[in-house]
Structures are given as structure tokens and as C-alpha cells.
Amino acid sequence: MRRNFEILGFTMSCFAVVTQLILMLHNREAGVGETMLRFVSYFTILTNGLVSLYFAVRVFGLKRRMWVLFHRRATPMALTAFILVVGLVYQVALRKIWNPTGLQMIVDELLHTIVPVFMYVYWLMFQARNLVMWQELRSWLLFPVLYLGWVLLRGYYSGFYPYPFLNMDQLGTGTLVLNISMVLALMLLVMAALYFLGRLLRPKQ
């Protein structure tokens, strides 16, 4: 059953990420190189990509030496936290600002709704009872911090911001700092919730 879940998780997340790239290239408003840079500027894409890689490691038995990050015991919980934040931010702040149709709508729902819910169910069923130390989980916060640094630096020079709540040119420094603080606080809150839920579900020694 677990392997079936992992195959399905890999198939859905990989399909969503690859198809989104194809759609962006097909409908691009800039050159191929710039479009690729924009593609990897979305936290949604990076997080779904990490989820896809995690499932690929499980499905294909990829070696620990090369894929050590995906063998660490905190990785499933961290990825679940990040993909849940992707879903929550989209539902609250982004869903209302556009109305995709056709294949784009399917990919959009996969990236922002189906894969986040699926990853949470997978973690709850197969990973939640594994021992994870808070220090291991907390170190994953480097991922969104580095992401924010990359997006803001690139946006400053290129004028492209992947999300309206990160657009420093339009929002100003004060609002931008508030938005970033809220998103990071949400990540911490979701991480903490999963951490304590895992402790509750873990069998008593």
C-alpha cells in the first residue's frame, strides 16, 4: 500500500511540474532562458519539485550517498509543512486573482490542492510516527530563507516577482517585510503543528 502511495505521489507531482514548465514555455512572454528562470522562481514549483524527488527516491530506490537529503528522517515532515503552506497561501491569497481553464486548471489544482493534501495524508499514514528532533526540522527553514533572498535579489534587478505579495516595487519595504514575516510565521506554525502531532501519534515507550 505504501509503495502504491509513493508511485501515485511521484506520478502526480512530476506530471504537474513538467506540464507546468511546458505550459509556461508554450505561453511565454519572454525568451526561453528568462522563462526558465521565472519557472524556478516560484516556491510552488520548487516545493512540488522536492516532493517529486522525494517520491522518486522512494520509488526507484535511489542511493543514499547521492540523495542523502531525501533519506533524512526530518525530510518528509519538512516537505509536508512546505507543501501545505503552498496550498494554504494559494487558497487564501492567490486563488481569487486568476481563473485558469483547461489543462492549466488541472495542473493548478494538482500543484496547489491535490499534491499538498496527498502529501499530508501520506505523511500522516506512513511517516508521522517516526522520531524527528526539532533541531532537524528547524534547519529546513534555510530553504525558504534562501528562496526569499533569491527572489528578492532577482526581482530587484529584473523587475519580475513571482507573487504579488513579494513585489517590493509596488508594496514598499514595510508591507513587504510584513508579508514575509506572516509567511515565515505560517511555516513555523505548520512545522510546529506537524511536529507535535507526530509526537502525539508516536507510540508510548
Side-chain angles (χ1 to χ4, degrees):
M1 183 178 181
R2 177 169 174 168
R3 180 167 176 79
N4 290 337
F5 260 75
E6 291 166 349
I7 292 172
L8 181 57
F10 169 72
T11 303
M12 289 193 303
S13 55
C14 185
F15 170 81
V17 171
V18 172
T19 306
Q20 182 60 60
L21 174 59
I22 293 170
L23 289 171
M24 283 189 66
L25 289 171
H26 179 72
N27 300 309
R28 68 182 186 272
E29 300 175 351
V32 173
E34 173 64 20
T35 300
M36 294 294 292
L37 283 173
R38 293 184 181 187
F39 179 71
V40 297
S41 294
Y42 287 93
F43 191 76
T44 296
I45 295 300
L46 295 178
T47 306
N48 274 274
L50 287 174
V51 168
S52 183
L53 283 174
Y54 171 78
F55 282 126
V57 168
R58 312 290 297 186
V59 170
F60 300 110
L62 301 182
K63 299 299 183 181
R64 185 181 184 91
R65 180 177 297 179
M66 290 186 61
W67 302 92
V68 61
L69 180 66
F70 297 95
H71 287 278
R72 291 176 179 170
R73 57 187 180 181
T75 297
M77 188 181 292
L79 294 182
T80 301
F82 292 143
I83 200 70
L84 285 176
V85 170
V86 165
L88 289 170
V89 171
Y90 180 80
Q91 308 305 330
V92 172
L94 301 175
R95 180 178 285 279
K96 59 188 176 184
I97 68 174
W98 82 316
N99 186 32
T101 58
L103 182 58
Q104 182 63 74
M105 180 186 69
I106 295 171
V107 171
D108 197 63
E109 292 301 330
L110 281 168
L111 291 170
H112 299 102
T113 306
I114 297 173
V115 171
V117 171
F118 181 89
M119 187 65 189
Y120 174 70
V121 172
Y122 169 82
W123 174 80
L124 200 61
M125 293 180 64
F126 305 111
Q127 298 288 344
R129 293 167 181 80
N130 293 340
L131 177 64
V132 174
M133 305 301 293
W134 176 247
Q135 291 81 356
E136 298 173 283
L137 187 62
R138 186 180 58 191
S139 65
W140 268 92
L141 287 172
L142 185 62
F143 169 52
V145 170
L146 289 175
Y147 167 79
L148 286 169
W150 146 254
V151 165
L152 295 178
L153 183 63
R154 172 168 158 72
Y156 178 80
Y157 287 104
S158 69
F160 174 78
Y161 295 90
Y163 301 106
F165 56 82
L166 293 179
N167 193 323
M168 182 166 53
D169 296 337
Q170 294 183 1
L171 298 175
T173 304
T175 303
L176 176 67
V177 170
L178 177 61
N179 290 346
I180 290 174
S181 299
M182 291 174 63
V183 172
L184 290 177
L186 178 61
M187 287 182 178
L188 271 173
L189 182 63
V190 174
M191 272 188 171
L194 294 179
Y195 173 76
F196 286 110
L197 178 58
R199 292 188 63 179
L200 286 174
L201 294 174
R202 199 171 303 130
K204 297 293 187 286
Q205 300 297 328

